[in-house]
Amino acid sequence: MNLGNPMKELQKKKGSYLVEAVMTLPICILAIVALALVIRIIAICQSISFLTAKEVKEISLYTNSFMYTVSLCSKIEDSVLHECDALTDFRVKKVDYLHREENIDDLIGVTTEAKFAVENPAGLTGKIVFTEKLLTRGFTGALQDAAPLEEDAFTQNGTSQKVLVYLRYGEKYHLPSCSVVRRESREQNEGIEMDREDARRKGYSACLLCGGGEGYG
């Protein structure tokens, strides 16, 4: 009965395992490197999206301050390039400012293009082009379902109570001294002043605390 040489068989198995390890190790390393690059690319793209959305949100909140799309584009570009060091270039390719789409008014559409490079351990640099489109609605002081102002709105001779609408905090109108409104908002003049009757026609209702100057609260 020939059982063979156990040591020789063991050496053959060790050699087989070593060959497999030598063959699979580079593949595993390449997979890890590729995954790291993908994560890096995704992180940069997410950063671009966040920064762009942040700027577009600020613009939508202060729509009346951005009447010229040239300055609007420059503001977005300067902010994103300053905050994201990885970018080699960032441009606003298209702006649809305060347009109407599917029965919704005051829409702001922004299309941007970003370019950046990522380098792998082998020293090869890949150039990435990332395009995004954002759509939001500008706050112009009117609700979507608001009815047009009636003729008597223009003939009140300034006798109506003046109230403030703070777009950040819902659909109420307030007295300038209302404690519901945050102090920093008053200091930064974020409120839009209008006649109380005008605010009502636009769909706003009186603040439950200050009463909007209606004698309660």
Side-chain angles (χ1 to χ4, degrees):
M1 184 176 180
N2 185 10
L3 298 177
N5 190 335
M7 294 300 298
K8 189 174 181 179
E9 292 296 327
L10 182 60
Q11 289 176 353
K12 286 182 180 180
K13 289 184 178 181
K14 287 184 177 179
S16 176
Y17 295 151
L18 182 60
V19 171
E20 291 179 2
V22 171
M23 293 177 62
T24 57
L25 184 59
I27 298 175
C28 292
I29 294 175
L30 290 174
I32 293 173
V33 170
L35 179 60
L37 288 176
V38 170
I39 293 174
R40 171 66 172 160
I41 293 171
I42 292 175
I44 295 174
C45 291
Q46 286 182 334
S47 179
I48 296 169
S49 297
F50 173 80
L51 293 170
T52 307
K54 178 182 176 183
E55 287 301 315
V56 173
K57 175 186 175 183
E58 289 298 313
I59 289 169
S60 69
L61 288 173
Y62 302 102
T63 302
N64 294 328
S65 300
F66 295 96
M67 299 306 296
Y68 303 100
T69 55
V70 174
S71 59
L72 183 152
C73 295
S74 298
K75 184 178 187 302
I76 297 175
E77 291 172 351
D78 293 343
S79 177
V80 175
L81 283 171
H82 177 72
E83 295 291 336
C84 192
D85 298 333
L87 298 183
T88 56
D89 190 31
F90 180 81
R91 293 285 182 269
V92 176
K93 305 294 289 185
K94 181 181 179 182
V95 173
D96 294 318
Y97 194 62
L98 296 182
H99 69 287
R100 181 180 178 84
E101 184 177 322
E102 296 183 2
N103 297 322
I104 301 177
D105 295 318
D106 302 330
L107 290 175
I108 301 174
V110 178
T111 302
T112 68
E113 181 182 89
K115 296 180 181 180
F116 58 95
V118 290
E119 184 175 340
N120 60 33
L124 299 177
T125 301
K127 296 181 179 180
I128 307 297
V129 178
F130 174 65
T131 302
E132 63 176 342
K133 296 181 180 180
L134 293 91
L135 183 66
T136 185
R137 183 167 183 260
F139 291 93
T140 56
L143 297 179
Q144 177 61 31
D145 58 353
L149 291 179
E150 299 176 2
E151 184 178 355
D152 62 353
F154 301 94
T155 59
Q156 295 179 7
N157 299 320
T159 59
S160 177
Q161 169 74 50
K162 294 294 183 182
V163 295
L164 294 175
V165 173
Y166 291 87
L167 300 176
R168 291 175 180 265
Y169 307 114
E171 300 175 355
K172 303 290 185 181
Y173 58 83
H174 308 262
L175 292 176
S177 59
C178 181
S179 59
V180 170
V181 182
R182 295 180 181 177
R183 178 180 177 184
E184 59 266 26
S185 296
R186 293 196 297 269
E187 293 176 347
Q188 295 175 12
N189 298 319
E190 293 181 352
I192 297 177
E193 183 181 85
M194 63 181 69
D195 291 336
R196 185 173 61 198
E197 295 303 319
D198 188 6
R200 287 174 177 170
R201 290 188 184 93
K202 290 183 177 180
Y204 295 96
S205 58
C207 169
L208 297 179
L209 184 62
C210 73
E214 298 188 32
Y216 62 89

